Amino acid sequence: MNSNVKHIHFCVGHLLVTVTLLFARSASAESAVIFDNRGAVLGASGQPFTIFPFYVGAGWGSITPPSAAVRAHQAYLTNLAAFTSGTFVPPGIQPFIKQYRVVAGASVGPAAGDTTAPPRLLGSEDIKTIITNAQAKPPTDIGHLPPYASNVLIMVFPSTTFTPGPDVCAGGLTSGSYHCNAGPNKFFGVVFGSDTATGASDVNQVVSHEVFEAATDPGFPGNLAWDNLGPPNVEVCDSNLNPTFGYNGIKIWQCFDNSLGGQQTTTGYDPPIAFDPVSFLYPTIYPLF
Ligand SMILES: [Zn+2]
């Protein structure tokens, strides 16, 4: 995210969302065409990328069995991956994300994490340490993460009692959500304070923002893929306006869509079509139940 946007989100997250929704109809959409700088992109290899979530702090309750907040995030990520993969999409339509070389879709790994970690300030270097420590644990451990790889995106979710520290990728700025890399083919994202969700529809759409930006520009800032080269740095979801489109009960950020001249996508699809597996029944594609 743009650092100012990120900071605002963290400070007044729900207020901002509420205000934005109130004014969404009268505010004109933003636009930004994002350039292809030919850096690494997730899902471009022909293999789907996998999102591995890691829940940190007591606010998450329990991982096994999963608390409501953990279940909500797993459901959110599963639906986000299904959207990215074009699941249930009508013929001739593709998710907007595919124009950015994210062609192979996504899947989601099992819930993992550490609910005993004491609250503290966490900067991007601390997040990297948390990931490295988790990668050293045996696969049977609930605190295990797989190794980094070109098709792996690790998403760390510190609970509300943690304080965001400096993000070295953004030059040391502090933000409540961002994505970064720990070296070539070592991709991760962070969203603080989203452990209050009771259902997938409650999960902050900032999660989709970071997953899409991590997918389209995972090497930021050293190996740019889709990025306007700034300053200010603008990536595919860095709009100040954050209306959402719906997909199977979740809210997804309306990111910039180059095929629409850089306007924010309104439906999530190219060409734009109002399609939601829940609200738009498409009998031959959508499994009715
Ligand atoms: Zn962003």
Side-chain angles (χ1 to χ4, degrees):
M1 295 182 75
N2 169 287
S3 59
N4 291 333
V5 177
K6 275 182 293 194
H7 188 66
I8 292 168
H9 268 296
F10 185 75
C11 294
V12 291
H14 288 293
L15 177 63
L16 179 67
V17 170
T18 304
V19 169
T20 302
L21 289 175
L22 285 173
F23 290 96
R25 288 181 187 280
S26 56
S28 54
E30 293 183 53
S31 65
V33 172
I34 310 301
F35 305 126
D36 187 356
N37 303 291
R38 306 307 302 176
V41 166
L42 291 172
S45 63
Q47 277 190 308
F49 69 95
T50 304
I51 304 163
F52 287 95
F54 197 80
Y55 303 98
V56 183
W60 290 104
S62 170
I63 295 174
T64 48
S67 65
V70 169
R71 283 201 310 274
H73 278 65
Q74 291 299 111
Y76 185 94
L77 292 171
T78 299
N79 280 306
L80 192 63
F83 167 78
T84 303
S85 303
T87 305
F88 307 138
V89 74
I93 307 293
Q94 68 174 11
F96 82 98
I97 194 81
K98 290 209 169 186
Q99 72 190 289
Y100 301 114
R101 295 190 274 123
V102 183
V103 296
S107 62
V108 180
D114 177 8
T115 56
T116 67
R120 61 190 174 101
L121 185 138
L122 292 177
S124 59
E125 300 310 293
D126 303 308
I127 298 290
K128 290 178 192 173
T129 301
I130 287 172
I131 293 171
T132 304
N133 289 342
Q135 288 168 330
K137 295 195 170 174
T140 51
D141 195 300
I142 194 63
H144 167 82
L145 277 173
Y148 288 117
S150 61
N151 60 347
V152 164
L153 172 61
I154 291 171
M155 288 296 297
V156 180
F157 298 103
S159 70
T160 45
T161 50
F162 287 80
T163 306
D167 167 19
V168 172
C169 269
L173 294 171
T174 296
S175 49
S177 67
Y178 53 89
H179 68 94
C180 186
N181 72 83
N185 293 326
K186 297 181 175 182
F187 310 129
F188 69 94
V190 188
V191 178
F192 280 80
S194 59
D195 55 346
T196 54
T198 56
S201 62
D202 305 316
V203 175
N204 192 327
Q205 65 264 29
V206 168
V207 175
S208 65
H209 177 131
E210 298 306 339
V211 168
F212 285 156
E213 290 193 341
T216 53
D217 200 13
F220 172 83
N223 181 24
L224 294 176
W226 291 95
D227 190 296
N228 76 340
L229 299 178
N233 173 70
V234 175
E235 294 184 296
V236 70
C237 301
D238 280 333
S239 56
N240 289 309
L241 299 177
N242 59 350
T244 59
F245 62 87
Y247 179 84
N248 212 14
I250 68 168
K251 294 171 293 187
I252 298 178
W253 193 288
Q254 293 187 1
C255 304
F256 298 125
D257 185 333
N258 276 4
S259 77
L260 301 178
Q263 291 286 316
Q264 289 181 257
T265 181
T266 55
T267 66
Y269 292 106
D270 293 319
I273 181 173
F275 175 82
D276 183 315
V278 167
S279 62
F280 183 93
L281 296 183
Y282 197 88
T284 61
I285 302 292
Y286 177 60
L288 302 175
F289 58 82

